[in-house]
């Protein structure tokens, strides 16, 4: 079946550093979404991207929909302790949504 | 604004017991979903209801049944729990089945011993 390859699986960074993660697929998607899951909670939608090439920001978060429609990346600038969690990408085509396996972000004091 | 509410938050079952996980949404969404989340596996779709009155199998439906009770509520039933069903279960809703944005509940952490 369709798969999303999300990388890296986990990251350990210092507070204040910038973070970059991405998702790639062999399939084309119409919409890319990025979610964050805090420990013990459900995923929360951060950013939705609807057009190839689209670059969207939400505070310190920036995400882009790849030109080929097969990839997307998420950047977090100047990380803070509350950025800790698991970040999921998701791609949608027609009625199917496929989730990546997540990037677990750890922030060292 | 509650969004998607799941009950219970935690549950321990013995092998062979049955239970129903409840989910309700107050956003007037048409479509509702049940996922399970296991370490290293991401979110896997168990069953979904694209609209009131319909239900369909997802990626991992075996051992589960669902009921779309009304537009607000979508329950997941384990008839005879097995240790392999130990997982965190999430309910989600979307405005429509062709709409990408999903809103998730807080999850039910289920342990089957």
């Amino acid at each position: 079946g369709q798969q999303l390859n999300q990388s890296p699986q986990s990251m350990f960074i210092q507070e204040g550093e910038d973070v970059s993660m991405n998702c790639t697929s062999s399939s084309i998607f119409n919409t890319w979404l990025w979610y964050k899951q805090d420990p013990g909670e459900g995923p929360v939608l951060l950013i939705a991207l609807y057009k190839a090439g689209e670059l969207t920001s939400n505070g310190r978060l920036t995400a882009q929909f790849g030109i080929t429609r097969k990839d997307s990346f998420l950047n977090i600038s100047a990380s803070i302790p509350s950025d800790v969690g698991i970040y999921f990408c998701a791609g949608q085509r027609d009625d199917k949504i496929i989730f990546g396996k997540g990037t677990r972000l750890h922030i060292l004091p | 604004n509650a969004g998607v509410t799941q009950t219970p938050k935690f549950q321990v079952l013995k092998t062979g017991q049955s239970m129903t996980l409840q989910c309700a949404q107050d956003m007037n969404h048409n479509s509702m979903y049940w996922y399970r989340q296991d370490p290293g596996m991401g979110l896997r779709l168990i069953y979904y209801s694209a609209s009131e009155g319909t239900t369909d199998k997802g990626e991992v439906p075996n051992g589960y049944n669902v009921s779309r009770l009304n537009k607000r509520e979508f329950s997941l039933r384990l008839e005879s729990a097995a240790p392999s069903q130990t997982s965190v279960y999430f309910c989600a809703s979307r405005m429509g089945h062709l709409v990408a944005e999903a809103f998730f509940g807080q999850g039910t952490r289920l342990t089957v011993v």
Side-chain angles (χ1 to χ4, degrees):
Chain A
Q2 298 175 48
Q3 285 201 347
L4 289 185
N5 299 309
Q6 188 170 352
S7 65
Q9 270 189 315
S10 65
M11 306 180 71
F12 289 81
I13 63 166
Q14 298 282 345
E15 184 178 344
E17 285 185 8
D18 297 343
V19 172
S20 186
M21 59 190 79
N22 68 81
C23 271
T24 61
S25 175
S26 57
S27 302
I28 289 172
F29 291 103
N30 296 329
T31 304
W32 282 94
L33 307 120
W34 285 92
Y35 288 86
K36 185 195 176 201
Q37 184 179 20
D38 289 326
E41 301 290 330
V44 173
L45 182 64
L46 298 174
I47 292 179
L49 303 155
Y50 303 100
K51 281 180 7 180
E54 181 180 351
L55 185 72
T56 297
S57 293
N58 178 4
R60 294 177 296 105
L61 276 60
T62 302
Q64 184 156 29
F65 191 144
I67 288 288
T68 64
R69 295 170 61 194
K70 294 181 179 180
D71 60 351
S72 178
F73 72 74
L74 175 71
N75 286 343
I76 305 172
S77 63
S79 57
I80 59 177
S82 62
D83 291 334
V84 162
I86 305 175
Y87 292 80
F88 291 98
C89 63
Q92 183 224 12
R93 183 176 68 187
D94 301 325
D95 63 343
K96 297 272 187 297
I97 293 185
I98 310 294
F99 285 88
K101 294 184 178 178
T103 294
R104 187 179 291 270
L105 182 62
H106 305 265
I107 297 181
L108 305 169
Chain B
N1 211 4
V4 179
T5 304
Q6 287 182 239
T7 55
K9 200 163 166 69
F10 300 95
Q11 184 71 51
V12 178
L13 288 179
K14 293 183 178 175
T15 298
Q17 285 186 317
S18 62
M19 80 160 294
T20 300
L21 282 64
Q22 307 286 354
C23 175
Q25 52 91 9
D26 63 1
M27 295 174 283
N28 201 35
H29 284 174
N30 290 306
S31 304
M32 298 184 74
Y33 304 81
W34 278 103
Y35 291 90
R36 61 179 288 173
Q37 183 178 37
D38 302 292
M41 302 293 287
L43 289 160
R44 293 185 292 170
L45 183 63
I46 304 170
Y47 268 94
Y48 67 96
S49 171
S51 60
E52 189 179 354
T54 71
T55 60
D56 284 286
K57 294 178 180 178
E59 186 185 353
V60 287
N62 290 346
Y64 305 96
N65 283 302
V66 289
S67 295
R68 184 76 183 265
L69 304 167
N70 48 55
K71 191 172 185 180
R72 290 187 63 247
E73 298 172 286
F74 188 40
S75 63
L76 177 73
R77 183 157 178 85
L78 287 70
E79 289 291 352
S80 179
S84 61
Q85 293 179 304
T86 293
S87 187
V88 182
Y89 292 84
F90 288 101
C91 177
S93 71
R94 286 153 53 182
M95 192 178 302
H97 197 43
L98 296 180
V99 175
E101 293 86 343
F103 296 83
F104 287 84
Q106 287 193 307
T108 296
R109 188 172 293 273
L110 176 67
T111 302
V112 183
V113 297

